[in-house]
Amino acid sequence: MSKASDQLVILDGGLSNALEDRGHDLSDALWSARLLRDAPSEIAAVHRAYYEAGAMVATTASYQASVVGFERAGVERGEAERLITSSIHIALAVRDEFPGRLVAASVGPYGAMLADGSEYRGRYGVSSQVLRDFHGPRLELLAAAGPDLLAVETIPDAEEAEVLVELLRELDFPAWFSYSIEGDHTRAGQPLTEAFAIPAIPQVVAVGINCCKPTDVRAAVQTAVAVSGKPAIAYPNHGESWDAIARTWLGNGTGPAALAPGWVEAGATYIGGCCRVGPDDIRALATDLSGT
């Protein structure tokens, strides 16, 4: 992954919206992880679509995949672990069709497992030990499956970040680290000037933000670079707001292509999209930044 610090890396976009566009109902608590069990070929098709659009990285369908979440859905532990691992194998099989591309194993926050919108709030009301017990085995399981790196993403809370960074240091596996933010604070309210310092460890190859408003990205990227000393990563959502009760996106938004040159100027090296950003958006992004 050292080459990523020298050149622009185009990431993929949202997995769930691309699956919904293909006709899948993801309204249950497992979200896109349900298709690891029910329709793995559809996940592969979305990875392929993003690679074909110009993405250099496929982010796996493990964001909301956890043993606890699968067990709540009636899946036995051994099968749950197999399904989580399969998210990597699916992406690697597609990657083999596209030489030089990468696979990032998605590691969502504790709040994603709760499926109640907590990943946009943080402050779960649980101890650091609970977070460690949740994240540790999953990180080990994902890393052992052989991705190129981990994508620790949509982290809303600096206290959860501290737990994850300690685990990443122990695991000694490359990762990027991105917060979910609102303006110049994490979703839990901590200043980004403090939060971005937490993942500044050798195992983390890039620090930044995802699943935020596109208009919040440039200032956050500047802060991430200044504080962490790392290449920045930026993959915002399409600009809408998530209604956790109705489980739907509200409002209007726009793809990342129009604003992305400014993010590059601010120091972003890894650029893509999150929720509601699809293959067409990534194609436009790759085209617009091809000369950057």
Side-chain angles (χ1 to χ4, degrees):
M1 288 299 299
S2 59
K3 65 178 181 180
S5 62
D6 308 320
Q7 64 186 27
L8 198 61
V9 178
I10 303 298
L11 309 177
D12 57 5
L15 179 65
S16 62
N17 50 277
L19 289 167
E20 288 171 336
D21 288 345
R22 295 177 64 87
H24 296 283
D25 179 2
L26 304 180
S27 59
D28 63 19
L30 285 175
W31 205 31
S32 56
R34 178 178 62 80
L35 298 191
L36 290 170
R37 178 189 64 192
D38 297 346
S41 63
E42 286 293 281
I43 294 172
V46 170
H47 290 325
R48 188 173 293 107
Y50 278 122
Y51 279 144
E52 290 173 344
M56 296 300 297
V57 183
T59 309
T60 64
S62 50
Y63 173 83
Q64 204 146 345
S66 67
V67 170
V68 173
F70 276 122
E71 286 181 332
R72 287 177 177 173
V75 179
E76 294 184 356
R77 173 172 289 270
E79 176 64 2
E81 293 177 345
R82 188 196 68 78
L83 288 171
I84 293 169
T85 300
S86 76
S87 69
I88 311 297
H89 298 158
I90 291 166
L92 289 173
V94 179
R95 184 203 63 182
D96 289 346
E97 303 171 17
F98 298 86
R101 308 298 174 94
L102 302 172
V103 167
S106 176
V107 180
Y110 180 81
M113 177 273 296
L114 299 176
D116 62 357
S118 292
E119 67 261 50
Y120 301 112
R121 299 190 303 267
R123 310 284 81 186
Y124 310 122
V126 300
S127 68
S128 295
Q129 188 61 50
V130 168
L131 295 175
R132 183 180 176 87
D133 291 345
F134 173 77
H135 284 299
R138 185 169 62 140
L139 286 170
E140 293 177 1
L141 193 64
L142 290 169
D148 295 290
L149 75 165
L150 300 170
V152 182
E153 55 183 356
T154 328
I155 306 304
D157 196 321
E159 291 185 7
E160 184 173 18
E162 290 174 349
V163 172
L164 281 160
V165 167
E166 180 182 352
L167 289 167
L168 289 174
R169 196 192 304 271
E170 294 171 7
L171 189 62
D172 196 22
F173 197 86
W176 78 55
F177 199 103
S178 60
Y179 287 97
S180 175
I181 68 166
E182 185 73 41
D184 59 359
H185 289 72
T186 67
R187 293 282 188 160
Q190 299 106 344
L192 295 183
T193 50
E194 298 174 7
F196 284 140
I198 295 170
I201 62 173
Q203 291 80 8
V204 171
V205 301
V207 172
I209 72 280
N210 75 292
C211 211
C212 61
K213 297 176 182 177
T215 51
D216 283 346
V217 169
R218 182 164 184 157
V221 163
Q222 290 173 325
T223 303
V225 172
V227 171
S228 73
K230 300 278 187 178
I233 185 164
Y235 53 115
N237 58 38
H238 209 259
E240 297 94 341
S241 298
W242 175 247
D243 184 330
I245 297 175
R247 298 190 64 79
T248 188
W249 291 91
L250 304 175
N252 298 312
T254 184
L259 296 176
W263 307 341
V264 176
E265 291 176 2
T269 299
Y270 298 70
I271 297 179
C274 200
C275 298
R276 308 285 286 175
V277 175
D280 288 343
D281 296 307
I282 296 303
R283 183 175 290 104
L285 178 70
T287 299
D288 287 359
L289 293 182
S290 61
T292 300

